[in-house]
Amino acid sequence: MSHLELENLQVVEMDAGTVFSGQPSGRMIQGFAAPCAYTPDPDPDYQFHETMREIIVWFMQQADPLYVFGPTGSGKTSLIRQLAAKLNYPVLDVTGHARLEFTDLVGHLSLEEGRMTFQYGPLALALKFGGLFLLNELDLLDPATLSGLNGILDGDPLCIPENGGEVIKPHPMFRFVATANTNGGSDETGLYQGTLRQNLAFMDRFWLCEVDYPAKEAELRLLARTASLLPEAVRETMVEFAGEVRRLFRGFGDTQTPLGESIEVTFSTRTLLRWADLTLRFQPLAHQGVQPVSYALDRALGFRATRETRSMLHELAQRMFPSADAPTGAQNQDVS
């Protein structure tokens, strides 16, 4: 994408209430007049998490960088991207990994048509032209690598020696967001292998926001829109099932559950939607004595689990869906 498109973005004042709820509030928020290639596509079926209010307040002022943490599959990244889409904000994102270096964020020299030119990285682009830099899975990064961000987090200019000593002052619309499964203080649960305890001084620079799994009512509304052909009772039980699996993932399952410790897989809202969709797609199998709910469960989640966990998931499904084939009248049969 040409830098010209980012450079030509026009900042506008918007009514926050109108943008996010459709009701004028008189409270103004800055966004961009039109989307660009970096602006996330809005999802008409997206159900905003209740923590959106905190992030909207963060968007409304020049604030500290934002650190969003919560369990895997809780929708941290999608929440940020969908809020940005409402404001036509460009989002330049990077997913952290153990080998990520500071130059991957800032940019590097490359050979173009026989001459060396500097290619801006996502952080430099967001700083220079205004946009949201989104660093996903921050707690997978080496704290030493992240120390190079301290000046940026404090609002200091970025100096790029490789580009002739260019100095980039942060654009007024620059925003920095990091997401992670842990709060930066290491993983005490043992659920997130590879996460690292972050430097205390680095973490002290962030405004913190915790995002948990969506409320039951929100996921019910979403399933009602996307899987309306499933009976309401089945949709409700699917949401309850997802909730129980999430509790098991955290080690807080009910006393009737065969496993007494946490399991290694969990339900994201995306997985829940996939399960409902596959259940509808596999309805014809009920005429062959195959239970669509259990069959779809494996393909949405179960095949990613160990044999022990997969067996437990099917036992839980049999208990919670005693007549899981209600839509077609097929016999209750586990195919695991």
Side-chain angles (χ1 to χ4, degrees), residues 73 79 91 97-98 104 106 123 131 133 158 160 167 169 222 243 256 269 271 273-274 290 313 319:
L79 174 59
V91 176
H97 55 80
D104 296 324
V106 175
L123 175 60
F133 175 68
L158 171 67
I160 308 178
V167 175
K169 294 183 178 180
L222 187 55
Q256 301 180 60
T269 299
T271 301
L273 295 177
R274 183 185 302 125
V290 174
L313 290 174
R319 175 156 57 86

Side-chain angles (χ1 to χ4, degrees), residues 20 22 51 76 81 102 123 136 163 169 199 206 219 283:
F20 296 107
T51 53
K76 301 177 291 293
R81 291 181 64 84
F102 190 64
L123 175 60
N136 287 307
N163 198 29
K169 294 183 178 180
N199 181 279
F206 285 95
E219 292 190 322
Q283 283 301 309

Side-chain angles (χ1 to χ4, degrees), residues 14-244:
M14 306 176 180
D15 185 286
T18 301
V19 170
F20 296 107
S21 68
Q23 299 295 326
S25 66
R27 300 188 66 188
M28 305 308 292
I29 187 170
Q30 286 189 320
F32 292 92
C36 69
Y38 284 119
T39 306
D41 294 327
D43 181 356
D45 292 323
Y46 185 77
Q47 292 286 314
F48 281 98
H49 196 280
E50 59 185 12
T51 53
M52 68 174 284
R53 301 182 187 91
E54 298 177 39
I55 300 174
I56 291 170
V57 170
W58 174 81
F59 261 114
M60 293 177 72
Q61 55 190 346
Q62 286 279 52
D64 293 332
L66 181 67
Y67 186 98
V68 182
F69 68 98
T72 183
S74 58
K76 301 177 291 293
T77 298
S78 58
L79 174 59
I80 297 297
R81 291 181 64 84
Q82 286 304 305
L83 287 172
K86 288 279 190 181
L87 298 169
N88 292 325
Y89 239 99
V91 176
L92 299 105
D93 58 345
V94 170
T95 298
H97 55 80
R99 295 181 301 279
L100 188 73
E101 298 181 356
F102 190 64
T103 54
D104 296 324
L105 309 179
V106 175
H108 60 274
L109 289 169
S110 65
L111 185 64
E112 279 191 4
E113 299 179 353
R115 62 189 183 91
M116 298 300 292
T117 60
F118 187 80
Q119 300 292 327
Y120 290 106
L123 175 60
L125 285 173
L127 269 168
K128 188 178 182 71
F129 300 111
L132 189 151
F133 175 68
L134 178 59
L135 180 55
N136 287 307
E137 311 292 352
L138 178 144
D139 53 359
L140 293 178
L141 294 175
D142 186 336
T145 299
L146 291 172
S147 65
L149 290 171
N150 284 350
I152 301 299
L153 299 182
D154 289 338
D156 296 339
L158 171 67
C159 180
I160 308 178
E162 297 86 351
N163 198 29
E166 179 185 10
V167 175
I168 300 177
K169 294 183 178 180
H171 190 283
M173 295 294 282
F174 170 68
R175 297 290 186 273
F176 187 113
V177 181
T179 69
N181 292 130
T182 72
N183 64 0
S186 77
D187 173 30
E188 297 177 350
T189 67
L191 298 173
Y192 304 107
Q193 299 297 315
T195 57
L196 300 172
R197 183 182 182 88
Q198 297 301 315
N199 181 279
L200 183 61
F202 176 79
M203 291 302 304
D204 188 54
R205 291 170 162 86
F206 285 95
W207 172 332
L208 301 179
C209 176
E210 184 174 14
V211 175
D212 207 336
Y213 292 112
K216 176 181 177 180
E217 294 73 18
E219 292 190 322
L220 284 173
R221 288 194 299 269
L222 187 55
L223 280 185
R225 289 215 305 267
T226 60
S228 59
L229 294 180
L230 282 176
E232 182 178 358
V234 172
R235 297 197 303 265
E236 289 180 351
T237 307
M238 283 183 159
V239 172
E240 291 172 1
F241 183 93
E244 180 58 27

